Amino acid sequence: MQTQFRLAANLGLPVATNVVKVDVDNGGVRVECEREAGTTDVVRMTTPCVIGAGKGLNTPNYPTFPDIVKSRKKAVPMAAR
């Protein structure tokens, strides 16, 4: 939990943690940070900056059953040594 804060302090950069949404605009970043009790804060920062991602930032894409079955039939190319 301290990594992003220590990194930002050492580099002299702004920091936001538990970020659930990122919007990049001209020379800056607008982030939404999830706080306690389901509230969110909107923070505007200049770039470069340090962003600590929260669980809501990523929506995982799980494979479907037909895709899993199809993947069993595909060959895996061997890397040259």
Side-chain angles (χ1 to χ4, degrees), residues 1-74:
M1 188 64 184
Q2 295 181 8
T3 304
Q4 65 261 12
F5 298 110
R6 289 180 183 235
L7 178 64
N10 285 336
L11 297 175
L13 300 174
V15 63
T17 187
N18 208 14
V19 174
V20 294
K21 186 176 180 183
V22 178
D23 293 320
V24 179
D25 54 11
N26 297 338
V29 178
R30 180 183 169 271
V31 296
E32 290 185 19
C33 304
E34 193 172 67
R35 300 290 177 219
E36 306 164 351
T39 61
T40 58
D41 291 341
V42 177
V43 179
R44 294 182 192 275
M45 300 185 295
T46 58
T47 55
C49 60
V50 178
I51 297 175
K55 291 181 182 180
L57 189 61
N58 183 24
T59 305
N61 187 9
Y62 297 108
T64 62
F65 182 73
D67 289 339
I68 294 171
V69 172
K70 289 177 191 175
S71 70
R72 291 182 184 178
K73 296 177 184 175
K74 291 190 178 184

